[in-house]
Amino acid sequence: RNLIEPFDFSTEELTRIFDLADEIIRRPGEWLDSCRGKLLATLFYEPSTRTRFSFEAAMLRLGGQVIGFDDPGTSSTAKGETLADTIRTIACYADIAVIRHPREGTARLASKYTEMPVINAGDGGHQHPTQTLLDLYSIKKTQGRLDNLHVAMVGDLKYGRTVHSLVIALCNYNTTFHLVSPMELKLPSSVKMHIKEKNLTYHQYTDMEEVISQVDVLYMTRIQRERFSDPLEYERIKNAYILQHHMIQDTRENFRVLHPLPRVNEIDIKVDESTKAYYFEQALNGVYVRQALMALILGVK
Ligand code: CP
C-alpha cells in the first residue's frame, strides 16, 4: 500500500487515520510496541526538517527502527546507481520507505520497482500528501469539522506542493477556496481542474488583506526559491506577502493561521504570540498522523 498522491486514500481511510491519531494522543503508552521489529527507510534527496524528523520520531515512538540518508551524496546514488536499483536494495532491508526527491513523479516511479510500501514525502513542485494529512487533521482540530469551510491559500501556489495536495484533498469537503498569489505564481490549471470537477467555488486575488476577514483558515506558504530558474525573478517576488499581527485582529473567532513551514519571512514572528497562530501545533500533529499512517499501512492496528 502506497501513499503517493492525496487521492490514494479515500475520505473514509483519512477519517480512520485521524481517529487513530486521536487515539495515539489519548493513549500514547499503548502504541509504544506496535511497530516493534519494523524498519522504516528514509530516502531524502532534498532538505527537510519536519517531514524527515517527524517520520523518524513517529516510527521510533511506535517501537520500530529507522535507517536512511538525508544526503544522497553519501549513498551509492553518487556512484551512478539508478533509483530502481536503490529502491530494490532498500526493500531487502526495510518494511516501509519514505522518499523525498526534487523530481516530480519520483515516488510513483520508485513504487513501481518494489512491493514495499512507499510514501511520497514531496516530489518537486508536485505533491506532498503526508503534509496534507496533518494539514487536514489540523483543520479538523481547530475548526471542529472539515466540511463547508472558507480556506485561503497564500503565496507560491504554482510551485507549492503542499498547496497542490491540500487543494485536491479539500475538494472532498465542499470547501470554498480563496487563492492569493502574485500573477506569476497562480495555482496551476491541473490543480484547479479538481475544484471545477467538484463544482466548487474558487476566487483568485493578488491582495492578501482582501481575504483575511472572510475565511476560517489562512494557509500561508513561502515563495519557493529553489524552484525558480531565474534568481532575479525570485528576488522581485520574495516579499509579496508578509502577514503582520495587526492584520489578524478583526478575523473570525475560529480563524487560524496554518503554514506547512519552513517559514522565511512571510509570517512576522509577532504573529506567533497570537492564539490564532497554529503552525507549530500543526508541525506536532505531523508526528501523530504519521504514526497513524504507518500503523495503518503496516497493518499493526
Ligand atoms: N513541511 C515540510 O515539508 O517541511 P520540511 O521541508 O522541513 O520537511
Side-chain angles (χ1 to χ4, degrees):
R1 187 68 201 270
N2 305 309
L3 176 55
I4 309 294
E5 309 221 16
F7 39 75
D8 287 343
F9 277 55
S10 66
T11 49
E12 290 75 22
E13 287 172 314
L14 295 186
T15 303
R16 173 84 183 117
I17 290 170
F18 302 150
D19 289 348
L20 275 183
D22 286 342
E23 207 177 305
I24 288 166
I25 292 171
R26 269 197 306 272
R27 288 186 273 276
E30 290 185 11
W31 293 80
L32 292 175
D33 275 332
S34 51
C35 276
R36 187 157 304 285
K38 301 289 185 192
L39 200 51
L40 164 70
T42 55
L43 291 72
F44 277 71
Y45 294 82
E46 253 194 356
S48 169
T49 300
R50 275 144 295 274
T51 311
R52 186 170 69 85
F53 280 80
S54 64
F55 261 114
E56 294 187 3
M59 182 48 93
L60 294 171
R61 285 174 189 277
L62 292 170
Q65 291 178 296
V66 181
I67 54 174
F69 59 77
D70 58 9
D71 173 4
T74 63
S75 79
S76 285
T77 303
K79 302 176 207 165
E81 184 172 62
T82 62
L83 176 74
D85 286 358
T86 300
I87 200 77
R88 278 186 185 130
T89 306
I90 300 285
C92 299
Y93 313 138
D95 300 289
I96 184 167
V98 176
I99 180 164
R100 169 172 288 189
H101 201 283
R103 214 171 37 239
E104 297 189 3
T106 300
R108 174 75 69 204
L109 185 66
S111 71
K112 293 196 186 307
Y113 293 105
T114 177
E115 293 294 307
M116 171 182 61
V118 173
I119 298 175
N120 182 6
D123 58 329
H126 187 219
Q127 302 289 340
H128 192 348
T130 66
Q131 179 67 43
T132 296
L133 294 184
L134 71 100
D135 292 343
L136 291 177
Y137 185 69
S138 299
I139 293 172
K140 190 163 180 278
K141 271 186 101 163
T142 58
Q143 305 298 321
R145 66 186 202 279
L146 283 166
D147 290 304
N148 302 313
L149 293 168
H150 283 257
V151 177
M153 314 272 190
V154 179
D156 187 343
L157 308 190
K158 179 178 178 185
Y159 297 116
R161 58 195 176 196
T162 67
V163 171
H164 303 166
S165 291
L166 184 57
V167 167
I168 292 168
L170 281 173
C171 284
N172 291 320
Y173 300 99
N174 200 29
T175 307
T176 302
F177 296 95
H178 301 264
L179 308 172
V180 185
S181 72
M183 293 303 283
E184 301 83 346
L185 298 177
K186 281 184 173 177
L187 192 71
S189 314
S190 58
V191 183
K192 277 188 210 142
M193 187 190 74
H194 291 266
I195 305 177
K196 289 177 188 161
E197 275 176 0
K198 296 271 174 150
N199 288 322
L200 297 176
T201 305
Y202 70 89
H203 307 280
Q204 298 190 99
Y205 315 76
T206 52
D207 179 2
M208 172 170 68
E209 291 199 60
E210 251 186 86
V211 304
I212 294 179
S213 63
Q214 301 180 46
V215 300
D216 304 297
V217 174
L218 183 69
Y219 190 86
M220 295 294 297
T221 65
R222 75 187 166 94
I223 308 291
Q224 308 247 320
R225 178 170 49 83
E226 66 276 28
R227 313 275 176 228
F228 280 73
S229 50
D230 178 358
L232 291 178
E233 179 76 350
Y234 170 74
E235 287 299 318
R236 195 174 61 73
I237 294 179
K238 68 178 184 185
N239 297 324
Y241 303 107
I242 300 178
L243 186 69
Q244 307 279 353
H245 193 271
H246 69 85
M247 295 179 187
I248 59 171
Q249 294 304 311
D250 296 323
T251 49
R252 297 175 178 185
E253 204 167 313
N254 61 313
F255 172 88
R256 292 293 180 276
V257 182
L258 271 64
H259 191 312
L261 304 176
R263 150 175 66 182
V264 182
N265 65 345
E266 60 281 356
I267 300 180
D268 186 89
I269 55 168
K270 288 203 177 67
V271 177
D272 300 0
E273 295 159 16
S274 169
T275 52
K276 295 184 172 181
Y278 192 75
Y279 26 93
F280 288 109
E281 288 97 328
Q282 184 185 353
L284 172 61
N285 289 337
V287 179
Y288 306 129
V289 295
R290 287 174 172 128
Q291 279 180 280
L293 173 68
M294 288 191 288
L296 196 76
I297 289 180
L298 293 170
V300 298
K301 271 276 174 174

